[in-house]
Amino acid sequence: MKVRTGLGGAVLAGLMCMGAPAAAAEAECAGKPSAHRLTVEVTGLRAAQGQVAVTLYPDDGRRFLAPRGKLARQRVKARSPVTQACFWLPQAGVYAIAVYHDANADEDFNRSRTNGMPIEGFGFSNDAPTKIGLPAFDKVRFRARAGESSIRIALRYLR
């Protein structure tokens, strides 16, 4: 798999195709119902408008942000100060999450036409750093325990 290092690179296309409307209510968690549930809390939205797209990935660096690499995804209404999404997990274990604030609800991860840099907020599990390019996969991995788990992700905006 070819990986680009710039945030404006093609790998961020994985963020752009996060879709599938659903609410964060327990009965509407994404995925097949199981004994394991993950709640994702997204903070740092500049405005409670549009949607927040949240995508869950398995513990496989080749699948992270790759086309058809996801386990599940949700689009939830943006809320302030915290937007929540939830996922049924196949098992307790290691996962990764990518999220973006689709402020204009166009179901696209919008980037600058001049330099390709994101103009909408984004984030990753563990608030993995992204100075230039995407975070290393080992920085986004987290462990979901059996039963109920939760993770908080702070969005960042580059402009």
Side-chain angles (χ1 to χ4, degrees):
M1 177 172 129
K2 186 174 182 179
V3 177
R4 300 192 187 246
T5 57
L7 275 175
V11 176
L12 282 181
L15 287 173
M16 293 180 358
C17 49
M18 292 193 275
E26 180 174 343
E28 297 182 28
C29 292
K32 183 179 177 183
S34 74
H36 313 290
R37 190 171 82 120
L38 173 69
T39 300
V40 180
E41 298 178 337
V42 181
T43 64
L45 275 75
R46 284 190 176 160
Q49 64 188 45
Q51 302 173 334
V52 175
V54 184
T55 302
L56 175 72
Y57 294 92
D59 187 22
D60 181 346
R62 296 170 305 206
R63 290 180 61 181
F64 185 62
L65 298 177
R68 297 177 300 281
K70 71 183 179 339
L71 288 175
R73 62 185 164 199
Q74 275 195 317
R75 284 184 171 277
V76 294
K77 181 175 176 16
R79 300 188 186 282
S80 188
V82 177
T83 299
Q84 289 189 340
C86 71
F87 296 92
W88 294 111
L89 301 176
Q91 61 190 19
V94 178
Y95 298 90
I97 293 178
V99 59
Y100 79 93
H101 179 199
D102 186 8
N104 60 358
D106 67 351
E107 299 191 9
D108 194 11
F109 182 58
N110 299 135
R111 296 176 283 167
S112 167
R113 290 181 187 207
T114 57
N115 63 14
M117 298 301 281
I119 59 175
E120 293 182 303
F122 63 94
F124 301 97
S125 37
N126 299 326
D127 290 329
T130 57
K131 292 185 189 237
I132 296 178
L134 295 169
F137 183 68
D138 66 327
K139 301 293 184 195
V140 298
R141 297 171 72 236
F142 70 95
R143 182 165 298 281
R145 64 181 182 269
E148 298 279 331
S149 293
S150 66
I151 188 168
R152 185 171 281 236
I153 299 172
L155 290 179
R156 62 192 74 136
Y157 294 81
L158 297 181
R159 51 183 232 166

